[in-house]
Amino acid sequence: MKRSPGGRLFDGFNIAFLVAAAAVTLFPLYYVFAVSFTDPTEYIAKRGFVLFPQHWTLDSYRYLLSTSTFTRATLVSVFLASVGTALSLIVTSALAYGLSRKRLMGRRAIMLMILFTLLFNPGLIPPYLLVRDLGLIDSLWSLILPVLTSGWYVALMRSFFDGIPPELEESGVIDGSSDIGVFFRIVLPLSMPALAAFGLFYAVAYWNTFFTAVLYINDNAKWPLQLVLQNMLIDSSTQAGGSAAAEMMAEQQIPPETLKMAAVVIATLPIVCVYPFLQKHFAKGVMLGSVKG
Amino acid sequence: MSARAKAAAGHPAQRAAAPSRNAVLSRLRRDKYLYALVAPGVLFFLLFKYVPMWGVVISFQEYSPYMGVLHSKWVGFEQFARFFSDRDFGTLFRNTMAISLLNLIFFFPLPVLLSLLLNELRNAYVKKWIQSIVYLPHFLSWVIVAGISFLLLSQSSGIINQLLVSLGFGKYDFLTNEHSFWALLTAQTIWKETGWGTIIFLAAIAGVDPQLYEAAKMDGAGRLRQAWHVTLPGIRSVVVILLILRLGHVMDVGFEQVFLMMNGAVSDVADVFETYVYRLGIQQGQFSFSTAVGLFKSVVGLILVIGANRLAKRYGEEGIY
């Protein structure tokens, strides 16, 4: 298409605006990154104005990874993200697959039961009392079981499975597989794009587990990463308290900010690492069945 | 999703009229492994979604953990009456509405605008990069967003305040300022979610009939006019649906964000229903009272969502269920 001068002017402005928007998005992340590598004395000397640190140093990281609080919390989060995601994917896809098979009696009733949970939310206290009565307080299962699946994901995944033709099942049945065998050996391998998308969403949600841990985990040896982060980042700056972080900082000369930002970088790293590989899937995951086409 | 869901759910031919008991049993037996696949998920919904729904009955009691739900004293609507006559009620309602509506006014249009601009970008490579960058903050936790906010905005060493000082302005108290607290929350939401919000609009734009653009071009429409007369009307229904759905969730402001950004100085403007329930219920153990507050919020939410869905359907759309 021929481009008019006005069109080219518009293109120029458009690119400039979008690049600026990307820069505004990226700047805080870059700044966190820069601060985390800054030499503590330099950070103090420049009163926090360190766009380009003169001396890059790994001191904050070294210190952080040597504390048992931080490494233990990282392990807890890794456990949640791996075990939780695996369980969530299995339960969600098995339920969604079953509901997509028309021969399942009662599928309409089950679907309605699931959809109703999207409309009415009993609030905070009844689930808390349930978890307490189940004896799950201070157990890591309290961070997985109550959020194992969601009506949204079941509905989205079901409409994905609706597209799998029954002929495939039949071929599995002829080979002597049960429904379970068909599901694991035929359906799931065919559903890798959907599993990747939902896996990403679940993994991020488990990795970012914060509020359920505030509710259900009192024992700070079992705190996930986000809760330790909150303690480091927030309690010590604007609120009183912040015992764990304050202790960590009192022991060492490293000023809070560089240490805090190293913690932020470590907590962000897994997300940034898997992001490029899964990016092509997640738009599809959001769209599954929502906008037709 | 609903068109397909409905089409799939409503196959009358599949549901044989009143099958005999034997037929039911034999179908159950035939499909037993299919039921085994469904069972864990169904159990999950029954246990973790429906048991708590039943648990809201304690808002009509003077619940005591020692007596349990079965033996606690019933008090009718006393907890609700206490809440509605409480001074906190007005503050909580105001804060919830203010935060929600500011989001609606300042945040909601931005993903639409951003996707229109992204759509006009000719260079697919640049477009992909910009998309990757603006989607990213969506995946960060609110703890991290709060931490970054503190780093950037702190009065003593925040880089924004350093910048203000070097430009000759005074320092601004971003984090503990009652007057700008709502703006701070809105700005965070804009940073975190604007990019992610474009996904759905970009998909809708991709679905606009290319012939319409050809026709507009023949009529001499430039790019801006095409965007205005073709793209925007093409995604109007998606925008309207999302707007209506957002209105249905006007009582939900996102607990974690407020909880993390709240501090003593801003508690008057920051306290919302969710944080109030947490404080009184979990921290102070007033289970019945805080369940009543939560139930009030949920019932209003339920009415709003159902109303919003009706509205969407009246608009000639499918709604969500």
Side-chain angles (χ1 to χ4, degrees), chain A residues 25-133:
Chain A
T25 310
L26 214 48
F27 173 75
L29 298 175
Y30 166 75
Y31 185 59
V32 165
F33 185 76
V35 168
S36 76
F37 285 104
T38 302
D39 189 74
T41 44
E42 189 186 337
Y43 185 84
I44 293 175
K46 292 190 177 171
R47 283 192 311 243
F49 204 93
V50 279
L51 284 181
F52 308 100
Q54 275 168 336
H55 308 286
W56 294 73
T57 165
L58 288 169
D59 283 356
S60 304
Y61 291 91
R62 229 171 266 140
Y63 176 66
L64 210 52
L65 295 174
S66 73
T67 63
S68 60
T69 315
F70 195 83
T71 45
R72 202 167 38 206
T74 307
L75 286 179
V76 168
S77 288
V78 168
F79 170 81
L80 292 176
S82 49
V83 175
T85 304
L87 283 178
S88 288
L89 275 182
I90 291 175
V91 171
T92 309
S93 55
L95 178 57
Y97 174 71
L99 289 172
S100 77
R101 300 299 99 177
K102 299 205 173 68
R103 61 199 155 88
L104 187 90
M105 272 188 308
R107 60 202 285 271
R108 235 177 109 78
I110 297 172
M111 208 58 218
L112 281 176
M113 175 194 104
I114 290 170
L115 291 179
F116 184 68
T117 63
L118 298 176
L119 293 178
F120 183 76
N121 161 13
L124 188 64
I125 306 299
Y128 172 80
L129 293 176
L130 172 69
V131 168
R132 204 194 54 179
D133 292 346

Side-chain angles (χ1 to χ4, degrees), chain A residues 11 113 121 211 226 275 289, chain B residues 1 50 132 141 223 255 298:
Chain A
D11 281 333
M113 175 194 104
N121 161 13
F211 184 58
Q226 302 293 335
Y275 189 70
Chain B
M1 56 155 264
Y50 279 88
S132 304
S141 71
R223 302 259 298 284
F255 180 92
S298 294

Side-chain angles (χ1 to χ4, degrees), chain B residues 71-231:
Chain B
H71 304 287
S72 290
K73 199 177 115 208
W74 292 89
V75 295
F77 285 91
E78 205 175 279
Q79 308 286 3
F80 294 89
R82 199 179 123 208
F83 178 53
F84 294 138
S85 57
D86 199 306
R87 258 184 324 135
D88 292 333
F89 178 76
T91 313
L92 295 171
F93 195 75
R94 180 200 65 185
N95 294 345
T96 304
M97 282 311 189
I99 294 167
S100 219
L101 292 178
L102 281 174
N103 260 324
L104 203 62
I105 297 166
F106 291 99
F107 164 68
F108 185 82
L110 288 178
V112 182
L113 179 72
L114 190 62
S115 38
L116 286 178
L117 293 179
L118 276 169
N119 183 52
E120 293 299 324
L121 210 54
R122 263 86 188 295
N123 188 327
Y125 189 71
V126 176
K127 182 176 168 186
K128 222 184 144 201
W129 265 96
I130 291 177
Q131 277 179 287
S132 304
I133 292 171
V134 296
Y135 289 169
L136 183 59
H138 168 78
F139 293 97
L140 305 181
S141 71
W142 276 113
V143 177
I144 285 178
V145 175
I148 295 175
S149 306
F150 293 132
L151 177 77
L152 293 172
L153 301 173
S154 122
Q155 243 187 327
S156 55
S157 62
I159 192 164
I160 306 270
N161 267 320
Q162 300 292 337
L163 207 65
L164 285 177
V165 168
S166 64
L167 291 173
F169 300 103
K171 290 193 169 186
Y172 189 83
D173 172 20
F174 291 100
L175 297 169
T176 51
N177 194 324
E178 269 195 337
H179 303 293
S180 53
F181 184 75
W182 294 340
L184 174 64
L185 294 186
T186 310
Q188 284 181 327
T189 305
I190 287 173
W191 181 76
K192 193 173 186 293
E193 303 294 348
T194 300
W196 188 247
T198 62
I199 284 194
I200 193 144
F201 297 118
L202 284 170
I205 289 174
V208 176
D209 186 352
Q211 290 184 3
L212 292 174
Y213 289 103
E214 292 303 323
K217 248 182 268 172
M218 298 293 267
D219 291 343
R223 302 259 298 284
L224 280 176
R225 300 207 119 221
Q226 285 175 36
W228 184 255
H229 290 293
V230 180
T231 314

